[in-house]
Amino acid sequence: MTFEQMLDSVRYEGAYPTRARAEEAVRAVLAALGRQLTGDERVELAARLPHEAAVIFTSEIPANEPLTGWDFVNDLASRTGGTAATTRWDTGTVLRIVARLADEDLLSRILAQLPSGYALLFGRAELTPAV
């Protein structure tokens, strides 16, 4: 997938009015995700992204403490000036495309590394063990 194809996919799936609006969402979400992932998963995901997307993703230094999924959305909303609802839409749209670029094994390892709340953002059910 090229970066342009990624933008077209995000624009279509997110029902964005323009490619520029889709690109804003892609850039913001990938940079935010870059602040959350470390290690082999970060390297492997960057290798699967289109070059321009990988540069955006890897340009951010990972945070010392990863955010929960909800805190991730709220942090991104505060950085972009969006509402929690629109930021949640942007995040889910972009991360569902990212999930397609990662295989099941990599996505499972990414979700295992992140705190709770990210599975739904990637378009997966978040299952918890029975107590």
Side-chain angles (χ1 to χ4, degrees):
M1 177 181 285
T2 66
F3 188 62
E4 290 73 26
Q5 290 169 326
M6 183 180 198
L7 294 179
D8 288 341
S9 294
V10 168
R11 181 179 179 193
Y12 176 77
E13 291 192 22
Y16 295 108
T18 64
R19 182 186 257 197
R21 178 61 188 96
E23 185 170 350
E24 285 175 25
V26 167
R27 289 182 177 281
V29 172
L30 287 178
L33 185 61
R35 291 189 289 275
Q36 300 304 305
L37 285 179
T38 61
D40 291 341
E41 291 77 19
R42 179 182 173 95
V43 173
E44 287 182 47
L45 182 57
R48 292 171 193 247
L49 294 172
H51 176 73
E52 296 91 336
V55 169
I56 296 162
F57 171 68
T58 58
S59 68
E60 295 292 325
I61 297 170
N64 291 332
E65 292 292 323
L67 301 171
T68 65
W70 177 243
D71 289 338
F72 177 86
V73 170
N74 286 329
D75 180 66
L76 186 53
S78 71
R79 290 173 186 266
T80 62
T83 66
T86 58
T87 304
R88 167 62 180 88
W89 181 266
D90 292 348
T91 302
T93 302
V94 174
L95 292 184
R96 282 191 310 275
I97 302 298
V98 169
R100 284 190 218 140
L101 294 171
D103 65 19
E104 287 296 315
D105 176 62
L106 176 56
L107 185 55
S108 293
R109 289 186 288 129
I110 288 170
L111 292 173
Q113 181 185 126
L114 295 169
S116 67
Y118 283 87
L120 288 174
L121 297 174
F122 280 97
R124 279 191 164 181
E126 185 156 357
L127 304 175
T128 56
V131 194

